[in-house]
Amino acid sequence: MAFFRFIFAMFLSFLPGALGILVTPIISGTNRWYDTLENSLWTPPGWVFSVVWTILYFLIGVALFLVMQKQGRVSQIKLNNAYILFAVNIVLNTLWSFVFFGTQSPFIALLVLMSLIIIAVFMARAFFQVSVSAFWLIVPYILWLMFALYLNGIIVYLN
């Protein structure tokens, strides 16, 4: 049973990345629109995004798995809260790629990213109530989202 929970948690956590590949030039190749944008001097090369997101999606998946493993050992209310926030997080994470690259709307994407950070913090808090280890696995994700907020904000400012 634990093996299938782990696979399911990984599937869910990698879902935004898999869907984002459809519109993200950093992963799928070049994008004339993105290539014309002024970026921060701190914008990493495209391959860094692929590596970092792979690591982060894995950590998120492990965190979700740890939460799922607490089924029956913590209150169902705490688990449901963690699951709901995780689901909203997944939707917003997926939405960002489609808004930024698909509709080419950096400002709207910035708003989505702000919402995503808020939800990720609440999700981390909900995970903490179920599994402290799960909480710590989410911290790098939140830090990366804050860096992404900076990068997205610079694009809005410079363009």
Side-chain angles (χ1 to χ4, degrees):
M1 187 63 150
F3 173 75
F4 293 112
R5 279 187 182 165
F6 182 78
I7 296 300
F8 184 64
M10 285 299 145
F11 171 79
L12 290 177
S13 69
F14 276 90
L15 196 55
L19 295 173
I21 286 173
L22 301 173
V23 293
T24 308
I26 294 168
I27 297 171
S28 63
T30 60
N31 180 292
R32 289 187 185 136
W33 170 77
Y34 181 77
D35 292 342
T36 65
L37 296 176
E38 293 290 324
N39 283 291
S40 166
L41 296 175
W42 291 7
T43 300
W47 66 267
V48 172
F49 289 95
S50 298
V51 171
V52 170
W53 277 111
T54 299
I55 292 167
L56 291 173
Y57 288 141
F58 178 78
L59 294 176
I60 294 165
V62 172
L64 178 61
F65 171 71
L66 293 175
V67 169
M68 292 167 76
Q69 288 298 97
K70 298 293 184 168
Q71 190 74 35
R73 289 184 255 162
V74 297
S75 91
Q76 195 60 47
I77 292 171
K78 287 181 182 179
L79 282 171
N80 288 345
N81 189 36
Y83 293 148
I84 290 167
L85 289 165
F86 177 83
V88 174
N89 169 75
I90 291 298
V91 169
L92 289 173
N93 190 307
T94 303
L95 183 62
W96 183 89
S97 294
F98 283 90
V99 170
F100 188 89
F101 293 110
T103 68
Q104 300 177 355
S105 304
F107 178 72
I108 303 298
L110 186 67
L111 299 176
V112 171
L113 190 51
M114 286 183 215
S115 302
L116 177 56
I117 291 170
I118 292 166
I119 290 299
V121 168
F122 280 109
M123 180 182 75
R125 184 173 175 246
F127 278 23
F128 182 84
Q129 294 176 346
V130 177
S131 166
V132 175
S133 298
F135 163 81
W136 286 110
L137 290 168
I138 297 299
V139 169
Y141 173 59
I142 293 169
L143 294 174
W144 182 260
L145 289 176
M146 288 198 248
F147 180 60
L149 182 70
Y150 159 76
L151 294 176
N152 193 155
I154 291 295
I155 287 173
V156 169
Y157 177 74
L158 295 176
N159 297 277

